[in-house]
Amino acid sequence: MKRALQPGRRIAEPPSVVKRLAAYSMTSVVTGIFAASMPAFSQVERPHTTNPVELTIHMHFRDKYVWNEDWPVAKELTRLTNIKLIGTASKVATKSQEQFNLMVASGKLPDIVAGDNLKDDFIRLGMEGGLQPLNKLIDDHAPHIKAYFQSNPQIEQAIKAPDGNIYYIPYIPDGTVSRGWWIRQDWLDKLNLKQPQNVDELYIVLKAFRDRDPNGNGKKDEIPYFNAQPSEVYRLVLLWGARSSGSNAAMDFMIEDGKVVHPFAQERFKTGIKNVAKWYAEGLIDKEIFTRKARAREQLFSANRGGMTHDWFGSTSTYNQPNAIPAKVKGFNLVPIAPPADINGNRYEEDSRRLVMPDGWAMTIRNKRPVDTIKLFDFYFSPAGRRLSNFGVEGQQYIMKDGRPTFTEKFLSSPIPANSKLWDIGAQITIGFVQDYEYERQVTFPEGKAGRDLYMKEKYLISQFPGVNMTIAERTIYDKYWPDLVVYLDEMAQNWVLGTKDVDKTWDAYQAQLKRNGLHKVLAVMQKAYDRQYGK
């Protein structure tokens, strides 16, 4: 029997943080209105150009996907707009960033460049003259994008370069909640335990999972806490009042009282990581947390060994379905719970969806058909384009039902994760479009929806670092110091968790090394960029 989710006290944030979070939440409201106002329409529409147009595109994303003219979505795009995109990125390369850098260095620019984590490259390349400014093109030829920016000025603010130009159209997430805490309710029931409400109760529960044989096999092989993402172990510092990131990107910067800081450099991080290391040493955290990675949930739940995790509501909810883990583990019951309160009695969720992703597409200076290209970009902000980019092709992946796209039973019944299925046909890819949360809602099972609703109702989410757009000079300083800094931060944190270095004995030397490695210089240029972009 599944127990009701238990809400709790949420963290009290300073007024400035609340104000930013309110603005972030309003973006989701506006986005939802934007989605709800979209009318039903026929797939038979007038082409955007009278004559067929071909444009080249370098798109390499998630280190394995490239633009594919044979995607069903690509073919439908051509049918609807009369524009065909021809991919130029290597189909056998495995590193997207490397491919982008090689393409730029070669000087052989295509008409369009696209992919994930390219925002900073777009800004830099644009200010260096490699990309076309889009401001006037949007005003003159992109009514859907223009209307969206007018309704969502914070999106436009977040993507503008320091010179005032817009050089790329971003991928804009929909919704707010992303990850949350999940626990084996069947294990709690067997051990006659309640869902943990704070860090002390969580410690008791994890020890019981370790010692009291909840899987009933007579072996001490249970793994109380695990995660598919190694960096998620750092997020446990939240239980001791620290932070691990300012956004849903691992180890990101954050804003504290108007200042750009890095959570790993703060004194309270020392307390947090010290306690995480203690839990790891006691066997409460997966010993393979840094190596197990992608398939951790499948492996540990299928073996009836995993007890608790922190992961996406949508994908994690799938494991309860009859043809999933319950088919292998009798009585399996995974449920979302409220974030356990930290040592100060506060509950909060650090991970939520970004205001705007660092993904999208841009128009290079070599592009000879800028008007056709901006119309293509604008198409993806139209009802037709948004539906194509979110759901795929009507009659193949979805049908229209009550005026809304609805995935077919065939699509939903496939054992392949929904996002992977959509990537494979050219939907939900990292181009400039507005995501529609309805797609995710349809593939999220009841437990995931319940967790998402709880986190929204109780307002556990805290504000996300919006990112900054730096000048070329600022970026030069950032690029000089940050790559080595982030490696050092991660290495030290991992050593502390594993117990190969003592936190107390190495903390002062760690702080000194951060200074020698230029962290203060990185923070200074980021602060300058933040003040310029968002105001002091």
Side-chain angles (χ1 to χ4, degrees), residues 110-177:
D111 296 310
I112 298 168
V113 288
D116 54 346
N117 293 307
L118 291 178
K119 182 201 77 166
D120 293 331
D121 294 288
F122 288 151
I123 298 295
R124 179 174 54 202
L125 187 59
M127 291 192 296
E128 290 175 345
L131 299 179
Q132 299 191 38
L134 304 180
N135 309 50
K136 191 173 188 309
L137 286 167
I138 291 171
D139 285 341
D140 295 345
H141 304 288
H144 296 98
I145 295 176
K146 184 176 181 179
Y148 185 82
F149 285 165
Q150 287 174 342
S151 297
N152 299 270
Q154 59 273 56
I155 300 291
E156 184 176 12
Q157 182 185 35
I159 66 172
K160 271 190 176 179
D163 62 8
N165 285 319
I166 295 172
Y167 289 109
Y168 76 107
I169 303 299
Y171 159 34
I172 303 166
D174 192 18
T176 53
V177 178

Side-chain angles (χ1 to χ4, degrees), residues 54-330:
E54 288 190 353
L55 298 169
T56 55
I57 178 171
H58 175 99
M59 182 178 195
H60 200 293
F61 65 107
R62 296 192 179 91
D63 291 332
K64 64 177 180 177
Y65 292 96
V66 298
W67 182 270
N68 186 345
E69 297 96 284
D70 292 326
W71 277 335
V73 166
K75 292 180 178 179
E76 186 71 356
L77 172 67
T78 301
R79 191 181 76 81
L80 291 173
T81 67
N82 235 358
I83 296 174
K84 182 176 183 179
L85 299 182
I86 307 297
T88 63
S90 170
K91 295 181 180 180
V92 297
T94 57
K95 295 183 178 179
S96 296
Q97 185 64 55
E98 182 179 276
Q99 287 301 298
F100 178 86
N101 293 338
L102 289 172
M103 179 269 300
V104 172
S106 73
K108 298 177 182 179
L109 299 178
D111 296 310
I112 298 168
V113 288
D116 54 346
N117 293 307
L118 291 178
K119 182 201 77 166
D120 293 331
D121 294 288
F122 288 151
I123 298 295
R124 179 174 54 202
L125 187 59
M127 291 192 296
E128 290 175 345
L131 299 179
Q132 299 191 38
L134 304 180
N135 309 50
K136 191 173 188 309
L137 286 167
I138 291 171
D139 285 341
D140 295 345
H141 304 288
H144 296 98
I145 295 176
K146 184 176 181 179
Y148 185 82
F149 285 165
Q150 287 174 342
S151 297
N152 299 270
Q154 59 273 56
I155 300 291
E156 184 176 12
Q157 182 185 35
I159 66 172
K160 271 190 176 179
D163 62 8
N165 285 319
I166 295 172
Y167 289 109
Y168 76 107
I169 303 299
Y171 159 34
I172 303 166
D174 192 18
T176 53
V177 178
S178 53
R179 289 183 175 96
W181 290 81
W182 292 81
I183 197 165
R184 290 285 297 277
Q185 185 64 53
D186 54 318
W187 283 14
L188 290 175
D189 292 341
K190 182 174 181 179
L191 302 178
N192 196 28
L193 295 170
K194 295 181 179 179
Q195 293 175 358
Q197 298 301 306
N198 55 50
V199 60
D200 294 329
E201 292 181 10
L202 177 60
Y203 181 66
I204 292 171
V205 165
L206 295 180
K207 284 202 301 181
F209 284 179
R210 180 194 65 188
D211 299 333
R212 295 173 56 189
D213 194 26
N215 66 13
N217 67 359
K219 302 177 183 179
K220 198 172 181 178
D221 62 350
E222 290 84 355
I223 297 176
Y225 177 87
F226 72 93
N227 207 284
Q229 298 294 325
S231 60
E232 282 291 310
V233 73
Y234 303 145
R235 203 184 297 279
L236 294 176
V237 301
L238 272 71
L239 295 168
W240 291 273
R243 292 286 301 275
S244 77
S245 179
S247 74
N248 69 352
M251 301 175 61
D252 201 358
F253 296 85
M254 69 182 198
I255 303 299
E256 187 169 79
D257 298 326
K259 298 296 183 182
V260 180
V261 299
H262 198 279
F264 278 46
Q266 296 186 308
E267 191 70 23
R268 61 182 183 266
F269 183 82
K270 174 185 175 183
T271 301
I273 204 70
K274 183 177 178 179
N275 280 280
V276 173
K278 176 178 178 292
W279 282 20
Y280 181 87
E282 293 180 8
L284 305 184
I285 297 170
D286 184 11
K287 292 296 184 182
E288 298 179 39
I289 191 79
F290 293 108
T291 57
R292 198 181 298 275
K293 298 185 180 180
R295 297 186 63 82
R297 289 176 298 182
E298 292 92 331
Q299 291 173 353
L300 297 180
F301 287 148
S302 294
N304 199 16
R305 296 179 60 205
M308 191 174 193
T309 192
H310 180 269
D311 218 316
W312 288 85
F313 283 112
S315 60
T316 309
S317 70
T318 63
Y319 293 102
N320 271 335
Q321 303 320 300
N323 62 346
I325 306 301
K328 304 172 185 177
V329 178
K330 186 177 180 181

